[in-house]
């Protein structure tokens, strides 16, 4: 009789313990000597609990990037990192371990390094826990198309400090191996005298110590009166000291222009300094369109570059032009002087005058071009001095 009472009591006790929940059962089992059946039952429940929690956590990790809240948080983080005052992330999704954004647009803030930015078809590596715990290793970030207008300068020291922070800012929880842009258009400057643009270039950006290294391949480069030069090599380093052109070789036809060693320093008023070496450069790449019908040919020379991207004078060139090898300057009788000479000199033709030797000084800046020390020879037909 006593054994039956004990058995009934244990059964009712087990039923009551079972009704108290998982954690109570675990503490109860650890606090008494459990039999093999109880341990097995508890073990099965522990396994089941772990499976349920694990499956629930997995579902959460998979679904968390699908929520509107996650996209909003990502958008806020991106805008803060680049110092933008406004912007939008469009078409975000995560599939097969990769993040894809169809379009990202932003408007620069007071101290940002750009005024407007639009990027399309952005992709990078994104695991389940990236952006939640640990360090996010994005690998190479790919961008199909990038259009960005760089800020040419700022108005005060505070904005200058913010600009440097937004450009050079790094995050310990984010590791970007490189950024590759298939089609990049980068512009800068406020007026026609300071405006420049790189169009349709392949761009690779890599982080370096305290800055970034940009390498442009293909595409065209234009600055002030330099128009649509083909990019052969263009490697630029950006750090806290400024922008440095490590390599810069531009081409137009058979002509070349080297800008290696060019520097851009300062933020409130940017200072551009460097040298340019021009060889057999077609005049069509240098002259305003209104003057193309008056002169043609190709020239060589060494020039000093100076000025600013945010001043009224813009960027200027000063140096000496020398006609070498295949160089020549061709003037046509659309120039009134040559037309008059054709009338009064019946023995010679001035409809086309080819200057194949000589030199002259050239200085440009502030929307003007000045010539000095002119010594040009067109065979035996004409000499300018």
């Amino acid at each position: 009789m006593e054994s039956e009472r004990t058995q009934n009591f244990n059964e009712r006790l087990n039923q009551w313990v079972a009704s108290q929940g998982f954690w109570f059962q675990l503490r109860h089992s650890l606090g008494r000597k459990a039999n093999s059946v109880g341990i097995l039952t508890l073990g099965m429940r522990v396994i089941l609990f772990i499976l349920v929690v694990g499956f629930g956590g997995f579902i959460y990790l998979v679904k968390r990037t699908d929520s509107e809240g996650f996209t909003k948080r990502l958008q806020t983080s991106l805008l803060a990192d680049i110092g933008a005052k406004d912007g939008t992330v469009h078409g975000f999704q995560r599939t097969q371990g990769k993040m894809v954004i169809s379009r990202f647009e932003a408007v620069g803030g007071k101290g940002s390094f750009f005024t407007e930015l639009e990027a399309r078809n952005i992709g990078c590596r994104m695991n389940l826990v990236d952006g939640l715990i640990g360090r996010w290793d994005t690998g190479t970030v790919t961008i199909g198309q990038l259009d960005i207008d760089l800020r040419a300068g700022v108005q005060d020291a505070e904005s200058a400090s913010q600009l440097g922070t937004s450009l050079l800012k790094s995050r310990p929880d984010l590791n970007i191996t490189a950024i590759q842009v298939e089609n990049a258009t980068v512009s800068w400057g406020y007026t026609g005298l300071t405006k420049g643009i790189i169009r349709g270039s392949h761009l690779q950006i890599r982080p370096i110590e305290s800055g970034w290294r940009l390498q442009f391949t293909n595409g065209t480069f234009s600055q002030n009166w330099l128009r649509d030069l083909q990019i052969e090599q263009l490697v630029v380093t950006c750090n806290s000291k400024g922008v440095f052109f490590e390599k810069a070789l531009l081409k137009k036809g058979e002509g070349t222009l080297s800008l290696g060693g060019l520097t851009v320093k300062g933020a409130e008023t940017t200072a551009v300094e460097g040298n340019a070496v021009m060889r057999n450069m077609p005049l069509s790449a240098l002259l305003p369109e209104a003057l193309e019908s008056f002169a043609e040919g190709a020239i060589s020379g060494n020039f000093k570059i100076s000025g600013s991207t945010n001043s009224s004078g813009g960027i200027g060139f000063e140096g000496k032009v020398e006609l070498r090898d295949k160089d020549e300057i061709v003037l046509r009788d659309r120039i009134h002087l040559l037309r008059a000479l054709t009338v009064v000199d019946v023995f010679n033709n001035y409809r086309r005058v080819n200057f194949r030797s000589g030199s002259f000084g050239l200085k440009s800046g502030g929307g003007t071009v000045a010539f000095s020390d002119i010594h040009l020879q067109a065979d035996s037909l004409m000499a300018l001095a």
Side-chain angles (χ1 to χ4, degrees), residues 105-334:
E105 53 188 0
V107 177
K110 182 180 178 181
S112 62
F113 63 91
F114 67 96
T115 56
E116 292 183 333
L117 178 153
E118 182 177 1
R120 294 179 178 271
N121 301 325
I122 306 168
C124 71
R125 185 166 58 228
M126 184 179 187
N127 295 320
L128 286 175
V129 297
D130 285 336
L132 184 65
I133 58 173
R135 194 181 194 196
W136 183 356
D137 185 4
T138 67
T140 298
V141 179
T142 59
I143 301 176
Q145 181 173 336
L146 173 66
D147 295 276
I148 182 170
D149 185 31
L150 300 177
R151 189 177 297 279
V154 294
Q155 298 178 347
D156 50 58
E158 180 183 357
S159 298
S161 177
Q162 293 175 358
L163 186 150
T165 300
S166 67
L167 178 61
L168 304 174
K169 181 179 180 180
S170 61
R171 289 179 48 175
D173 59 343
L174 184 66
N175 178 38
I176 299 176
T177 304
I179 301 173
Q180 289 207 26
V181 183
E182 187 65 27
N183 189 330
T185 296
V186 182
S187 58
W188 58 89
Y190 297 113
T191 67
L193 298 178
T194 61
K195 196 72 175 176
I197 187 169
I198 294 173
R199 194 190 307 273
S201 182
H202 181 274
L203 170 61
Q204 183 181 80
I205 306 174
R206 289 190 177 275
I208 58 175
E209 185 176 358
S210 303
W212 299 90
R213 188 172 186 264
L214 291 73
Q215 182 172 349
F216 294 88
T217 307
N218 300 325
T220 61
F221 175 95
S222 300
Q223 171 67 59
N224 200 354
W225 49 273
L226 297 172
R227 300 196 317 275
D228 298 329
L229 303 183
Q230 298 293 323
I231 297 174
E232 190 78 7
Q233 282 185 313
L234 184 54
V235 181
V236 181
T237 299
C238 302
N239 57 35
S240 58
K241 296 181 180 180
V243 178
F244 303 88
F245 285 64
E246 294 182 13
K247 299 178 182 178
L249 181 61
L250 310 173
K251 298 187 69 175
K252 185 78 170 183
E254 296 183 0
T256 62
L257 175 65
S258 174
L259 301 175
L262 188 71
T263 63
V264 183
K265 297 182 179 181
E268 294 181 62
T269 302
T270 58
V272 180
E273 296 181 352
N275 297 299
V277 179
M278 188 181 298
R279 294 291 181 264
N280 199 223
M281 179 59 64
L283 289 177
S284 60
L286 309 176
L287 294 176
E289 293 182 2
L291 298 179
E292 287 185 3
S293 60
F294 292 87
E296 61 184 72
I299 61 174
S300 299
N302 298 329
F303 302 91
K304 182 179 179 180
I305 304 174
S306 61
S308 175
T309 57
N310 62 338
S311 67
S312 58
I315 298 175
F317 291 74
E318 182 176 5
K320 185 177 182 180
V321 173
E322 294 182 302
L323 300 185
R324 316 178 175 190
D325 301 330
K326 299 180 181 179
D327 294 345
E328 68 174 354
I329 297 176
V330 180
L331 301 182
R332 298 188 179 277
D333 63 354
R334 294 196 178 192

Side-chain angles (χ1 to χ4, degrees), residues 3 19 65 75-76 88 95 115 164 188 216 220 226 234 326 329 336 344-345 347 358:
S3 61
S19 66
T65 57
Q75 175 179 295
T76 301
T88 309
T95 57
T115 56
W188 58 89
F216 294 88
T220 61
L226 297 172
L234 184 54
K326 299 180 181 179
I329 297 176
H336 295 299
V344 300
D345 187 352
F347 298 103

Side-chain angles (χ1 to χ4, degrees), residues 7-26:
Q7 184 177 356
N8 290 335
F9 174 78
N10 289 334
E11 289 178 355
R12 289 196 299 271
L13 178 61
N14 289 335
Q15 291 175 0
W16 180 81
V17 170
S19 66
Q20 299 306 304
F22 173 76
W23 294 113
F24 182 85
Q25 296 174 50
L26 182 60

Side-chain angles (χ1 to χ4, degrees), residues 73-90:
R73 290 191 297 273
L74 176 64
Q75 175 179 295
T76 301
S77 178
L78 282 173
L79 296 178
D81 285 344
I82 61 178
K85 68 178 180 181
D86 193 19
T88 309
V89 171
H90 300 275

Side-chain angles (χ1 to χ4, degrees), residues 27-44:
R27 290 195 301 270
H28 176 75
S29 298
L30 294 175
R32 68 181 181 87
K33 186 177 180 181
N35 56 39
S36 59
V37 176
I39 292 176
L40 180 60
T41 303
L42 179 62
M44 293 298 295

